[in-house]
Each structure stands twice: as C-alpha cells, then as structure tokens.
Amino acid sequence: LFLMPMSLADDQSFTPESIIKKTTEQVLDRLKRDKETLQDNPGEMFRLVSDLIFPHFDFGVMSRFVMGATWKSLSDEKKQEFADHFRRLLVRTYASALLEFSDQEIRYVPSENKGKGRTAKVLQQIDTGSGEPMIISYRLHNRNSDWKVYDVSVSGVSLVKTYRASFQSITESQGVDALIESLKNKNQQYGNP
C-alpha cells in the first residue's frame, strides 16, 4: 500500500512515516475511485504499481539480498536480467494485493526510529475484521537524501527472506538460468507487467 509521488520524494522535510502515510492515502483514494476500471484492466493496475510505487523501492539492494552469495558470481548482464524479471514478479504481486484491499482501517504503530539515521522502519496495522490485525513493516534506507524501501514484511514474514529461500533452492538444484527462465515464464503466463 506504499505510494510516493515525486513531489514528496524530493521534499527533505518528510520522514519515512509521513511519506508512507500520505502516499497510502493517495493510493487508497485512487483504488476507491477507479476500482472497477483497475479490476477489469490488469495493465492499468500494473502501470499504477510500476509508475507510482516501485520507483521508491531499491531493486538493486533487494535483488542482491534475494540472491545471496550467488549474486557476486553473476555477470552484470545476468544481474540486470534477474532484477528485471524479479521486479515484474513483484509488480504482479503488489497489483493483486492492492485489488484485494477493501476499506480496512489502517493505523500506524509508533516507531522508535524517526528517520534521522540511514535506516528506518514504518509499521502499518490493518484491521482485517477477523481477529488479529495484519502488520505491514516497511524497511527503508536513505540513499543520497532519498528514502527507498528495501524490504516489506507482512505479519512478520519478510518478502526478501521468503523469496531468498525459494530462489536459493532453485539456483542450487537447477542454476540461475533456470530461475530466470522460471520467472520469465510466470511473468508471461500472468500478463507481463
């Protein structure tokens, strides 16, 4: 649920928490206003995620973390190819998750880190209506005065760690090319964003 328009990214006075709050409000407004259009046209939803959310994710860091020790052995071309297909997978994942969102209340859990260091964590609590709330944790780092997300956890499950375990088993048994081919095929099968 993380969106950040360029005007906010360029404003030094925004903390990671205030950026996520404002941009979450904007994406929810867009979802409420255009939900039917976005559901009927996956390409529009992919574009929304690609254009508004993901420019503020650090895919270089995420790709390196996900690939672990294997990353160092890859050529620059293979690194770029993997990062491209991994990004497309995440676009689809985010687009699907956003379409499932329906007016749940979002609260922010106070954080000890106010974004004055080089890293920050912002916690959203989403009421699911069925018992335990869902906690979304955004881990950000500050690169060149620009806050970028490098991991997202949902109810304690890290996106980066989950993909790392899954991808590691494929690369160990079948190799990096098989992993990239698998990502490529999935992206094509479900509509290449």
Side-chain angles (χ1 to χ4, degrees):
L1 298 177
F2 174 76
L3 287 180
M4 181 173 16
M6 287 305 212
S7 60
L8 293 180
D10 297 337
D11 189 333
Q12 302 290 322
S13 67
F14 284 92
T15 65
E17 185 174 312
S18 68
I19 291 168
I20 289 177
K21 280 182 180 180
K22 284 189 175 289
T23 54
T24 297
E25 290 168 10
Q26 290 176 349
V27 76
L28 294 180
D29 288 345
R30 172 80 192 273
L31 283 171
K32 285 178 190 175
R33 188 177 67 241
D34 300 332
K35 188 147 190 166
E36 283 185 35
T37 303
L38 294 169
Q39 284 176 327
D40 293 342
N41 187 351
E44 280 300 308
M45 195 65 206
F46 294 156
R47 199 168 5 269
L48 173 82
V49 172
S50 290
D51 293 348
L52 299 177
I53 298 175
F54 281 179
H56 308 290
F57 274 55
D58 191 333
F59 284 101
V61 168
M62 291 176 80
S63 295
R64 192 171 64 240
F65 285 169
V66 164
M67 290 300 288
T70 304
W71 184 256
K72 290 179 185 177
S73 67
L74 299 179
S75 68
D76 288 345
E77 182 180 315
K78 283 291 178 199
K79 288 176 182 177
Q80 185 59 49
E81 187 178 10
F82 170 78
D84 181 51
H85 290 296
F86 180 52
R87 182 182 189 282
R88 291 175 188 201
L89 170 73
L90 293 178
V91 166
R92 276 198 350 265
T93 302
Y94 254 73
S96 297
L98 284 172
L99 285 174
E100 295 299 316
F101 192 83
S102 60
D103 297 330
Q104 291 96 334
E105 184 181 350
I106 298 175
R107 288 189 297 278
Y108 290 84
V109 179
S111 173
E112 291 178 21
N113 184 335
K114 300 300 181 196
K116 293 179 182 168
R118 294 185 50 86
T119 62
K121 181 164 68 170
V122 177
L123 300 173
Q124 288 178 330
Q125 182 175 318
I126 301 174
D127 290 330
T128 61
S130 60
E132 284 294 309
M134 180 181 354
I135 303 290
I136 300 178
S137 171
Y138 298 94
R139 298 185 69 76
L140 302 92
H141 63 175
N142 192 331
R143 289 247 169 123
N144 302 319
S145 300
D146 190 16
W147 287 100
K148 297 276 190 182
V149 174
Y150 66 90
D151 194 13
V152 178
S153 296
V154 178
S155 296
V157 179
S158 161
L159 182 80
V160 167
K161 288 180 182 175
T162 299
Y163 279 119
R164 183 175 180 152
S166 172
F167 292 171
Q168 185 176 7
S169 91
I170 295 171
T171 57
E172 287 176 358
S173 64
Q174 300 171 38
V176 172
D177 289 334
L179 171 62
I180 292 171
E181 191 63 27
S182 170
L183 292 174
K184 182 178 176 181
N185 290 338
K186 285 179 185 174
N187 287 332
Q188 289 173 345
Q189 178 183 0
Y190 295 107
N192 213 347

